[in-house]
Structure formats: structure tokens, C-alpha cells
Amino acid sequence: MTRYYEDYEIGDTRAFGERTVSKEEIIEFAEKYDPQPFHTDEEAAKDTMFNGLAASGWHTAAICMRMYVEHMIDDASQGARGVDELRWIKPVRPGDTLTAESEVVDKYPDEDNPYIGYVDSRLTAYNQDDEAVISWIGLGIIEREAAAE
């Protein structure tokens, strides 16, 4: 079912996704995009504030974005204006299983374009112990139902 701007209400919350993170993918991502020792070298990571291998925050964000696209995005999505308040709350470790939820925190119509509105949603992801590991507010652009008619 397509969710148009009019279908969103502030406070709406939806849980989605499940993804287990492997040691191999943590290292592979970090070697390409964030090559710090606590992301790439299991032995060196033991001597850091993380006390072991931890996924890059950017990797965690990418995993969550993938889950969001697979479970929350539909044809009414017109992209986003950015993100606010990105926080890496707790390290993601090899073997952690992530789930996420999205809560609508604000919505308002575009003043100049009657075919779109803005829906801002806080995404929070949790590990298997129900500990928050990352959060951000996505600034979504959503098609209005009148545009589909």
C-alpha cells in the first residue's frame, strides 16, 4: 500500500527490519570507507576505547538505510532533504542483530508545491539486547495524494 503525505500522523511508529552484522562485513566496509584500526583490525581494536572490533557508524547508518528502503519506502517517497541529529549511541559488534523503528516527529505541506509534503521521522536502531545503537531524524519528502490522481 502506498502511503501518501496525508496518511502520516505525528506519533505514528512502525518497527521494521532485522539484520545480523558479520565481522567480515565490518572489516570490508571499514577498509573501503573508514579505515580506522578499531574498525579494521581485531587485535588493534582491543587496545582502543571500544575494547574490540566495532562497526563504523557510517556502516551502521548504511545498514539502517537499507532496512528503511526495503521496509518503509514506497512510490510516494520523493527522497529526502537530509538528516538531522545523527547519533552513534553504542558500538555495533560482530554478531549483533539490528532492528529498527521509525516515529513521525513532524509533518507539514510544501508552501509552494501542492504535490508534496514533508514528513520528518526519527529512526532508531537497536541491537539484540534492545539497546539503541544509532538514531537520526530523516527529513522526508512525500507525494501528496492529490498528485497521484
Side-chain angles (χ1 to χ4, degrees), residues 50-102:
F50 295 107
N51 295 317
L53 198 64
S56 166
W58 298 112
H59 184 197
T60 304
I63 290 168
C64 292
M65 188 65 206
R66 176 67 185 248
M67 289 193 306
Y68 191 80
V69 169
E70 289 177 346
H71 298 280
M72 300 292 288
I73 297 289
D74 61 36
D75 291 342
S77 174
Q78 301 298 302
R81 304 171 331 273
V83 298
D84 284 343
E85 301 179 25
L86 172 61
R87 299 292 182 266
W88 296 309
I89 302 165
K90 186 171 181 58
V92 171
R93 308 290 187 167
D96 279 357
T97 298
L98 304 182
T99 57
E101 71 178 19
S102 179

Side-chain angles (χ1 to χ4, degrees), residues 3 18 55 116-117 145 148:
R3 291 184 73 207
E18 181 174 293
I116 61 171
E145 197 162 16

